[in-house]
Amino acid sequence: MADLIIMRQGATEEEIEKVVKKIEKLGFQAHISRGTERTIIGIIGDTREISDEVFRVLPGVSEVISILKEYKLASRDFHPNDTIIDVNGIKIGEGYFVIMAGPCSVESKEQLYKTAKYVKEKGAKILRGAVFKPRTSPYSFLGLGAEGLKIIKEIKEELEIPVITEVMSPEEVEIVSEVSDILQIGTRNMFNYRLLQKVGRIDKPVLLKRNFSAKISEFLNCAEYILKEGNNKVILCERGIRTFDSEFTRNILDLSAIPILKKETHLPIIVDPSHGTGRRDLVIPMSKAAIGAGADGLIIEVHPKPEEALSDGFQSITLDMFSNLMNEITPFIEITKKKM
Ligand code: PEP
Ligand code: MN
């Protein structure tokens, strides 16, 4: 089995080209990753039948490696350098720390404006707010839809802040990406393969939330669906998983997933302590824990009046609490030496 061809230091373009040609001749796609020291060529497809010999004999080849994991483009073996995603000049990935904040749902222009203005002043770099809501009950508030997108567009332009909002179906990808700077795929849609393929074919960052019952390998395989289509701007989000204990929290925020993902993948990892716990009093402590575990950022639900929120009020923090959160977490971020 052959998955990765590591070229010798100083391998010529001609030698690299020969390897690529060979891969293509066998009916596979080649993925070239040029590092500062050496070039790595990955083979995309079911490589179980390819013998390493075929490549080992080619000039300029140093090593042939097989990866037993199913996901390749998402793996660090395949792509050793951290992926840094640029959203209108805001960097997301290793070495940076980004805070995304805003209401669970967009409810009105006033509500979004008030929240956005406040969180931006306090240091949030990206505004969140959903207009297409995948709710557990079809009788719950399902979002303002297209009307909400209009509100997001107005606020984003007035306040000059990039936005992230959820997309629920392949049909909505186009209208959502006209407005949103990052497309969010929620926990319930992590396994929506058609949606993953669709967002994989556009040039827009995607924040993929871990399904509440997904193993880490399943999470990475879903990221792979997007990467395979050509979109390499994938941001992972740990947002809590289900275990036996739901007595005190809505989900269990899987903090160990952060360092594991950092090892397994080059993609940025954002933590959502709001859905991860379901309780506003746990948002600050879990934010600190996420920073300590190596997260590249946070996504936080904030509402001017959480008691009146149309969704997720219980876990939404108030504007004052957001200010406290920023004050409390800043020293933690400074210790990591990540740029805010
Ligand atoms: C949300 O971000 O409001 C949301 C619905 O998140 P999740 O998909 O993680 O439940
Ligand atoms: Mn929510």
Side-chain angles (χ1 to χ4, degrees), residues 273-323:
S274 308
H275 294 86
T277 61
R279 287 173 49 163
R280 80 171 65 89
D281 61 324
L282 298 183
V283 168
I284 293 179
M286 294 316 266
S287 295
K288 292 176 183 169
I291 297 163
D296 300 309
L298 298 166
I299 182 161
I300 314 264
E301 288 189 339
V302 184
H303 196 289
K305 287 190 186 146
E307 65 286 359
E308 290 173 18
L310 298 181
S311 62
D312 288 349
F314 200 65
Q315 68 198 30
S316 299
I317 59 172
T318 60
L319 302 184
D320 283 347
M321 283 180 88
F322 184 74
S323 171

Side-chain angles (χ1 to χ4, degrees), residues 187-191 209-214 219 239-241:
T187 193
R188 294 162 186 83
N189 268 317
M190 188 201 86
F191 287 116
K209 297 187 100 176
R210 179 180 178 185
N211 176 266
F212 44 66
S213 308
F219 188 20
R239 51 76 71 206
I241 52 171

Side-chain angles (χ1 to χ4, degrees), residues 1-3 28 45-51 72:
M1 187 155 91
D3 289 296
F28 295 92
D46 183 354
T47 54
R48 281 172 296 189
E49 302 288 313
I50 313 181
S51 121
K72 290 186 190 173

